[in-house]
Amino acid sequence: SPREEIVSQNIKVALTSNQFSALVSYVYNTGGSSTLYRLINNKASDKEIRTWFETKYITANGKTLPGLIRRRKAEADLYFKK
């Protein structure tokens, strides 16, 4: 799919299947983030990556939405699932 290609083109480190799936979901829902890709490619700490997932793209029309918070947390949880 185009979203899988976006992840493959932007991530230069090995990913688990859960990490890949989480990023495809993230791209599908947000369009992606060069900052998140950079964090992953530079092997940032798990805390930095989780914080990015859970604190970005959680607003619509200037309001923080609980549904978007849940979606970002679910993507982060999948990304870090062993």
Side-chain angles (χ1 to χ4, degrees):
S1 82
R3 291 166 189 93
E4 291 171 339
E5 288 180 30
I6 289 169
V7 173
S8 295
Q9 289 170 358
N10 286 284
I11 299 298
K12 306 302 181 199
V13 296
L15 296 173
T16 67
S17 60
N18 285 337
Q19 289 172 326
F20 185 79
S21 295
L23 289 171
V24 170
S25 174
Y26 185 83
V27 169
Y28 179 80
N29 287 294
T30 68
S33 163
S34 60
T35 302
L36 179 59
Y37 304 147
R38 189 169 52 252
L39 288 171
I40 293 167
N41 287 330
N42 291 337
K43 300 185 180 184
S45 70
D46 288 357
K47 182 177 185 211
E48 285 178 282
I49 294 169
R50 180 175 285 280
T51 297
W52 178 267
F53 263 113
E54 294 184 358
T55 62
K56 307 297 181 196
Y57 300 98
I58 57 172
T59 62
N61 299 321
K63 294 186 177 182
T64 300
L65 299 181
L68 293 178
I69 291 171
R70 285 191 299 275
R71 183 174 291 156
R72 297 291 86 77
K73 183 177 182 328
E75 289 163 347
D77 289 346
L78 178 59
Y79 184 87
F80 289 106
K81 187 175 181 181
K82 298 295 180 198

